[in-house]
Amino acid sequence: MTTYGVPLLQDVTGARQELTVVLPVRLLRVPDWPEGPFPFELGSRRTDAQTRSTYFAPASARALYGAPGRPRRWHLPLDVKNDGLHLLGMELLRAATARNPEHALVVLYLSVERPLLPTLRALAGRGRTPPTNPSSGPSTRPRSLLASPMSATPTSRSP
């Protein structure tokens, strides 16, 4: 608590905290996951590649979501809970270039039921690491989650 009776931000847990973590990875092979972006549902509405493609010009939609026979995204629904973190799923986005043909991004979709600021600091590797480090559990250990179709080794960056 501060001197004015307001809790410190590092101690606050919001009513609903969702976190998306994007990490660079190397795509070692095409995964056997379902094709397309991670689908979200709200009531009777579902957002999938076909729906999302209508939001963009055709060329942009192909760059983001691929084309028939040439997918760019795959998703994997999960249900991994650890110490206030809930991994809802992952999405893999191929971001290959001529220089880096294995370049990809993995997106982790998390729900956080603990103070968010220390969680963000731990994921970023900043600040003091508390005894219950949220980045030490299975929800945020990319190497253990991403073992098969990709490598969590950061991709090389071009100068």
Side-chain angles (χ1 to χ4, degrees):
M1 287 281 191
T2 65
T3 55
Y4 299 107
V6 177
L8 296 171
L9 189 55
Q10 65 194 26
D11 299 327
V12 173
T13 301
R16 179 178 172 191
Q17 301 178 139
E18 303 294 324
L19 181 62
T20 304
V21 179
V22 181
L23 301 168
V25 294
R26 286 186 6 217
L27 183 62
L28 303 176
R29 64 176 178 78
V30 173
D32 57 358
W33 303 356
E35 289 182 13
F38 195 83
F40 289 98
E41 293 183 22
L42 180 61
S44 64
R45 296 187 67 178
R46 178 179 168 95
T47 59
D48 54 16
Q50 184 177 3
T51 305
R52 292 180 190 187
S53 292
T54 64
Y55 305 157
F56 303 98
S60 298
R62 280 191 305 277
L64 290 169
Y65 305 113
R70 298 187 66 197
R72 296 187 55 84
R73 288 184 174 199
W74 299 266
H75 65 275
L76 182 65
L78 294 167
D79 186 13
V80 180
K81 294 180 181 177
N82 179 59
D83 195 24
L85 290 179
H86 182 191
L87 178 61
L88 305 168
M90 297 189 301
E91 183 176 338
L92 180 62
L93 170 63
R94 178 181 301 190
T97 64
R99 224 179 230 184
N100 294 307
E102 295 179 332
H103 183 68
L105 299 170
V106 67
V107 182
L108 307 176
Y109 296 101
L110 298 153
S111 182
V112 183
E113 298 168 351
R114 58 183 296 162
L116 189 57
L117 186 58
T119 302
L120 292 172
R121 285 180 175 152
L123 289 169
R126 299 180 70 186
R128 294 190 319 254
T129 303
T132 56
N133 180 354
S135 66
S136 67
S139 297
T140 54
R141 267 198 316 241
R143 282 178 175 71
S144 65
L145 289 168
L146 313 177
S148 56
M150 64 199 104
S151 166
T153 305
T155 57
S156 61
R157 293 181 188 245
S158 304

